[in-house]
Amino acid sequence: MKRLIAPLAAPMMLALSLTGCGLRPLYAGGAAGPVASTLAHVEVAPIEGKAGWLVANALRDRLSASGTPQYRLEIKLDDQISGLGVSRDNSVTRERRTLRARYQLIDLAHGTTVLDATAGSDSGIDVVGSEYATIAAENTALERLSGIIADQIVSRLALYADRTPPAAR
């Protein structure tokens, strides 16, 4: 009998200890919850350039805005490509593409900035003999970085919506 109880005791103790850890789902309440309903009322202001177009589209896909906007998300991007690896003939063999975003969430009712933050990521690119392949790799890196930036921004907006009382929003 003791042999049957001993293997079950450790998992049961672990399960009981996790119930008091204070974790709770960020998107509790589904589409009607405070986080999802706040995100649904965020409009994305136009962002300059190709990177801006990609980030704005990725954000619109993730936010699923509907109804009258209560917030406007304004973003300024910094997109840089720099050479890293250099061969003996001084040609670049590796590049680093960095995409940084400074974003502000503006409450449209009061015209105040309620959130001011940054997001960023970078990607390495191999420079090969084919110029077409290098440009394609740079574009693919930009698309991937745009999605990463959008994910970071939406995560931060969700935390803002979760941590800010409804009266303060």
Side-chain angles (χ1 to χ4, degrees):
M1 184 71 160
K2 287 183 180 180
R3 286 186 178 175
L4 291 175
I5 295 174
L8 297 175
M12 290 176 65
M13 293 298 284
L14 179 64
L16 288 173
S17 68
L18 288 178
T19 59
C21 70
L23 292 178
R24 59 184 176 78
L26 183 61
Y27 290 95
V35 172
S37 63
T38 299
L39 294 180
H41 293 287
V42 175
E43 73 174 356
V44 179
I47 310 169
E48 291 183 21
K50 180 180 181 179
W53 182 80
L54 289 167
V55 170
N57 280 342
L59 283 167
R60 287 185 192 106
D61 288 345
R62 288 159 176 79
L63 292 173
S64 304
S66 61
T68 306
Q70 296 173 355
Y71 300 96
R72 182 177 60 247
L73 186 60
E74 294 183 355
I75 302 172
K76 291 188 180 15
L77 293 176
D78 180 27
D79 182 20
Q80 302 280 330
I81 297 179
S82 57
L84 289 178
V86 179
S87 66
R88 290 181 188 172
D89 64 349
N90 284 336
S91 62
V92 174
T93 58
R94 185 116 174 111
E95 293 177 336
R96 177 181 179 180
R97 185 163 209 159
T98 306
L99 186 61
R100 303 278 181 251
R102 177 166 184 231
Y103 58 96
Q104 296 176 320
L105 185 64
I106 299 169
D107 183 347
L108 295 175
H110 302 101
T112 58
T113 301
V114 295
L115 180 64
D116 189 350
T118 60
S121 189
D122 58 17
S123 180
I125 303 165
D126 287 327
V127 178
V128 295
S130 167
E131 190 174 336
Y132 174 79
T134 301
I135 291 171
E138 290 173 353
N139 287 333
T140 300
L142 180 60
E143 291 170 12
R144 188 172 53 254
L145 291 173
S146 298
I148 292 169
I149 296 289
D151 287 339
Q152 290 176 6
I153 292 172
V154 170
S155 295
R156 183 62 181 96
L157 294 178
L159 285 174
Y160 165 78
D162 185 56
R163 294 178 180 167
T164 306
R169 276 189 252 139

